Amino acid sequence: MMWREHIPDVIETDINSLKADIRVISGQFQGKDAITRPAFSWAHAKENKVNIYMIHLEPHAEVTIPATTSTSTRFCYFIMVLN
């Protein structure tokens, strides 16, 4: 079980002083490792390079996702939250 208060997060500020809040669900981001994944999960083995991030951006903020291998498959899902 992953509890929100145990999920590591990284706050980054871009060149325009806008913030990105990156929650590290699996893998690592900027040297911050995620909590341990279940032993029988595909994400558990580091050689599988499973990185899962939940990213909240301030309007117009930018963040760069770390590079990976050319054989990796990436997916990005966007959710717009309207206040």
Side-chain angles (χ1 to χ4, degrees):
M1 180 68 73
M2 292 185 194
W3 299 101
R4 180 174 193 201
E5 57 271 14
H6 297 145
I7 297 172
D9 96 295
V10 177
I11 305 293
E12 287 212 335
T13 304
D14 68 13
I15 60 171
N16 296 312
S17 299
L18 298 170
K19 292 190 171 136
D21 180 2
I22 300 102
R23 298 255 172 200
V24 186
I25 307 300
S26 180
Q28 68 102 345
F29 188 88
Q30 301 294 25
K32 180 105 35 153
D33 289 323
I35 59 176
T36 304
R37 274 77 65 205
F40 297 105
S41 167
W42 180 260
H44 183 75
K46 289 190 182 219
E47 63 269 14
N48 290 331
K49 298 177 178 72
V50 177
N51 292 297
I52 301 172
Y53 311 123
M54 287 177 40
I55 303 172
H56 179 265
L57 298 168
E58 288 184 343
H60 308 290
E62 296 180 10
V63 67
T64 301
I65 304 299
T68 188
T69 63
S70 62
T71 58
S72 292
T73 302
R74 288 187 152 184
F75 296 96
C76 188
Y77 301 97
F78 295 93
I79 301 171
M80 182 182 289
V81 178
L82 302 174
N83 293 337

